[in-house]
Every structure is written in C-alpha cells, then in structure tokens.
C-alpha cells in the first residue's frame, strides 16, 4: 500500500487552530513513532474527512475528524501525522498496529472489536438510503429496494455494506472502495441506490442537488468512535479524555460547523496522486447552487 503521510503543518491551512492544553505527557503513552500520533483516515467522507480546494486548486486535508485528531495530538503533546488511504485500508492498518488511531467516521461495530479498541462516541449520526431524483418514486421504503432488478451500493468494508446485505439481500449489491465512486455511479445511472452515513449523504447532497435521501436506515449504534490500536489502554484513556474535553469546551461543535461549511465549497474526495495533487482524471465538486 502506498501510504502518503501528512504532518500537522500540512493540515493547518484550513483546520481550526487547536488551543488544547497538553493533558497527557508524551512519555505516558506508547505510539507507533515516538513523539508522533499516527492517524489513518479515508478522505472521501465529507464532512468527516476530505480535501478542501483553494482558489489556486491546491488541496488541503480537512474535516471534523481531522480537527479532532489535531486536538487530541495537542492534548497529548504529540505531533500529528495523518496517513490517507481507502477505508478498508484504515481497518487493516489499525488491525496490524501500523497506526495509532483510525479516524474515518467509524461505527463501533462489535464485529470489529477483535481488530481495535473503540473510543467513546464523539459524534451522533445515522444511516440513510440514497438515490437520485428521477428514481426517488421507486423507493418509498427500504423494502422497495430489496429487488433483484436494482443495483444497490455501499462502501467496501463499511457498516453500510452490512446494512445493504441486511436490508436488501435480494438486490444486486455492489461494494466500491470510495463513497465518491458510489456517488458517481448513482449520478450516471449505473446504480439505483446506496447506503451512506447520513451526515456524509447530506454533505454530498449540497454539492449534487440531484441526490435524494429517501429514508433513514435502522441501526442499533447511532454514532461515530475512534479506532484505537488494540491493547493500548493508555492511548485509549488519553483519547477518551480528549474527546470529553472537546465536547465539554465546545470545540467539537466548532469543528463540525467549520467542516460542514468547507464541505459545501470546492472539494476533492479520495486519495491524491504521487505528487500530492488531485488526479487529473477526477473532478472536484462544484459549489452548491
């Protein structure tokens, strides 16, 4: 896997400047690299994580997960290092303990507990079934999507893929590595519907008005947690303490507001090329009309 590491300096252009006062000394917690907090993320999940594009076309990693990652690193007195990759790579790298944290809108699914620890919830969300306006009348409920004639999508390795298999087992279920792939397939008519996390679906809807959120998808765990390297109890304790502080001091609310505003502008969702630029074959999202 070609891992591109991004330091906290590269994140600073659009992220909220963290004023977090160190709570845990770096010596109290073991990390993959001394003095650094290494975080794996999948930057195709706005407003959690994505690339914000400036007026000159330069991408900068943004999102409320990334703001929170910087806040946690500052609380621990560590340098933040972010490693962007596909979502299933986040799960794999965390399970192999190649990174300290996985931050990609993770749902604390019990099926993942053998591979990672879960932090306390830092964001309350939900799950949605999405289609396009021309097909909205075909899907009055989830039951309508459970049809062999429909192509239904979800992100590879995600909770949404489990929900697709659970709720639409008779449909032609297609898993794709990035949420942007699902959106493209929906907009080009190659896919009929998709299971997407609600906040992410709402973010895409702002940039692509043809998308329609048809209905909520029942799911027992409504919220997002941080994946923590298995067995690192000191790190888990430090992460939970930082989350509690971010929720108590209002930082998390600001992170979410800032990320939501950025996600409504010029963005790119996916991994960059070897030169750290948006691949020429990919289009960035236009400002919402």
């Amino acid at each position: 896997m070609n891992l591109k590491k991004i330091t906290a300096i590269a994140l600073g252009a659009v992220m909220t400047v963290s004023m977090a006062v160190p709570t845990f000394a770096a010596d109290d917690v073991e990390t993959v690299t001394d003095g650094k907090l290494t975080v794996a993320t999948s930057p195709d999940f706005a407003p959690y994580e994505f690339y914000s594009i400036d007026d000159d076309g330069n991408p900068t990693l943004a999102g409320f997960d990334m703001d929170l990652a910087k806040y946690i690193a500052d609380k621990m007195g560590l340098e933040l290092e972010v490693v962007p990759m596909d979502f299933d790579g986040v799960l794999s790298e965390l399970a192999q303990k190649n990174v300290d944290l996985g931050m990609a809108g993770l749902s604390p699914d019990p099926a993942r507990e053998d591979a990672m620890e879960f932090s306390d919830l830092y964001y309350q969300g939900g799950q949605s079934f999405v289609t396009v306006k021309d097909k909205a009348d075909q899907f009055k409920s989830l039951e309508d999507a459970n049809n062999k004639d429909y192509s239904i999508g979800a992100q590879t390795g995600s909770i949404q893929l489990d929900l697709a298999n659970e709720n639409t087992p008779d449909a032609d279920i297609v898993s794709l590595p990035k949420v942007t792939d699902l959106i493209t397939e929906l907009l080009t008519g190659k896919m009929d519907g998709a299971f997407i996390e609600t906040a992410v679906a709402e973010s895409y809807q702002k940039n692509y008005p043809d998308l329609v959120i048809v209905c909520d998808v029942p799911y027992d765990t409504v919220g997002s947690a941080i994946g923590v390297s298995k067995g690192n109890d000191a790190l888990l304790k430090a992460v939970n303490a930082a989350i509690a502080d971010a929720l108590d001091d209002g930082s998390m609310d600001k992170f979410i507001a800032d990320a939501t505003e950025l996600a409504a502008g010029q963005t790119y969702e996916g991994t960059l090329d070897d030169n750290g630029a948006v691949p020429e074959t990919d289009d960035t999202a236009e400002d919402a009309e």
Side-chain angles (χ1 to χ4, degrees), residues 179-200:
V179 177
T180 43
D181 297 334
L182 300 176
I183 300 301
T184 298
E185 295 293 284
L186 286 170
L187 293 174
T188 57
K190 297 177 182 178
M191 184 176 287
D192 298 300
F195 288 80
I196 300 175
E197 203 273 346
T198 301
V200 177

Side-chain angles (χ1 to χ4, degrees), residues 129-152 168 171 186 189-194 210 212-215:
F129 182 78
V130 179
T131 187
V132 292
K133 289 181 178 179
D134 288 346
K135 297 181 179 180
D137 289 342
Q138 300 175 37
F139 302 108
K140 300 297 184 182
S141 67
L142 279 179
E143 288 77 10
D144 294 333
N146 190 28
N147 187 308
K148 64 180 179 60
D149 294 327
Y150 291 139
S151 174
I152 305 298
T168 56
L186 286 170
K190 297 177 182 178
M191 184 176 287
D192 298 300
D210 198 39
V212 176
I213 297 175
V214 175
C215 61

Side-chain angles (χ1 to χ4, degrees), residues 182-265:
L182 300 176
I183 300 301
T184 298
E185 295 293 284
L186 286 170
L187 293 174
T188 57
K190 297 177 182 178
M191 184 176 287
D192 298 300
F195 288 80
I196 300 175
E197 203 273 346
T198 301
V200 177
E202 290 173 346
S203 178
Y204 276 102
Q205 193 176 37
K206 291 178 181 178
N207 284 315
Y208 301 100
D210 198 39
L211 293 176
V212 176
I213 297 175
V214 175
C215 61
D216 293 334
V217 178
Y219 182 55
D220 292 338
T221 304
V222 181
S224 299
I226 296 171
V228 181
S229 180
K230 191 74 174 176
N232 196 335
D233 294 338
L235 178 57
L236 178 62
K237 181 179 178 181
V239 168
N240 281 335
I243 289 173
D245 285 348
L247 293 173
D248 288 343
D249 67 18
S251 292
M252 196 66 218
D253 289 337
K254 179 169 176 51
F255 297 160
I256 293 169
D258 290 347
T260 301
E261 181 178 354
L262 280 173

Side-chain angles (χ1 to χ4, degrees), residues 165-181:
N165 285 310
E166 177 183 339
N167 290 281
T168 56
D170 295 335
D172 176 21
I173 298 175
V174 179
S175 71
L176 297 174
K178 300 191 293 291
V179 177
T180 43
D181 297 334

